[in-house]
Amino acid sequence: MSIELDATTYVHAKATTAHSYILPKVFDVLGDHFDGSVENDVFDLGCGTGGAAAALAKAGYDVVGVDPSSDGIGKANIRYPGLALSVGSAYDDLSREYGSFNAVISLEVVEHVYDPKTFTSTMFDLVKPGGIAVMSTPYHGYLKNLALAVTGKMDDHFMPLKDHGHIKFWSKNTLRTLLVETGFDNVRFEYVGRIPAFAKSMIAVADKPL
């Protein structure tokens, strides 16, 4: 059975609600990494309708992005015509087409991915040696999962009836393992939205060795 990667549709091209608590930390991470460098190139893997890419471009970053949803990219191109956002996925040879970047971000995407090892391998190829990967995903830890179970919120959280919804549920340990096995090192985590034990999302930051 084949999966239609371009089938996801979007209501609008605005930044998502999750961006309100994820992007400030992403800006902190990128700011620390680039530290005023003029080579502030960022690739957005799974850019959706371009909300995060537009925010980064407005802040002065040189942004390129792809998303498998033709609907999402269509809306992004209308709302942000000056941005280099195109249809593409982690199952394509993106580094051959776009080259490599000092930072690659992927925000709230990996939980939707059917083949996460290919996804992070593509991300690894897109990152220049000495560059960083920044990946956010909904946080799953023991206390949060326990709270969801006790309050009867598991069905709402895991959303099994939503087409193209979350199909992988990452913990700190499993996401670290995925990134390290891909070749990244020095993986560290930030937690956003609520206190860490009940965080809405976690952000993994990983280095590509020189």
Side-chain angles (χ1 to χ4, degrees), residues 30-46:
L30 293 178
D32 290 342
H33 175 65
F34 286 108
D35 193 24
S37 171
V38 295
E39 295 185 7
N40 58 354
D41 50 319
V42 179
F43 191 91
D44 188 351
L45 181 57

Side-chain angles (χ1 to χ4, degrees), residues 17-86:
T17 302
H19 287 161
S20 66
Y21 52 84
I22 293 171
L23 282 180
K25 183 59 67 176
V26 170
F27 273 98
D28 288 345
V29 170
L30 293 178
D32 290 342
H33 175 65
F34 286 108
D35 193 24
S37 171
V38 295
E39 295 185 7
N40 58 354
D41 50 319
V42 179
F43 191 91
D44 188 351
L45 181 57
C47 63
T49 56
L56 289 167
K58 186 176 180 180
Y61 290 98
D62 183 10
V63 185
V64 176
V66 300
D67 195 275
S69 171
S70 55
D71 176 75
I73 293 299
K75 287 182 169 63
N77 291 159
I78 291 171
R79 185 174 178 86
Y80 311 114
L83 292 183
L85 306 179
S86 305

Side-chain angles (χ1 to χ4, degrees), residues 101-181:
F101 298 76
N102 282 301
V104 177
I105 67 168
S106 185
L107 308 181
E108 307 297 278
V109 175
V110 70
E111 65 274 10
H112 299 274
V113 173
Y114 292 89
D115 185 354
K117 291 182 180 179
T118 295
F119 182 82
T120 52
S121 178
T122 297
M123 176 176 272
F124 186 83
D125 290 342
L126 284 166
V127 180
K128 291 179 180 178
I132 60 170
V134 183
M135 177 188 295
S136 79
T137 189
Y139 171 68
H140 294 90
Y142 175 76
L143 288 177
K144 182 178 179 181
N145 288 343
L146 180 62
L148 288 169
V150 169
T151 57
K153 299 291 186 181
M154 295 293 278
D155 283 348
D156 290 340
H157 180 73
F158 287 103
M159 302 182 294
L161 298 176
K162 183 177 180 180
D163 292 340
H164 306 288
H166 298 180
I167 60 170
K168 300 282 186 179
F169 305 96
W170 297 96
S171 68
K172 176 180 174 181
N173 289 337
T174 55
L175 190 57
R176 182 194 300 277
T177 298
L178 176 68
L179 290 166
V180 169
E181 288 183 350

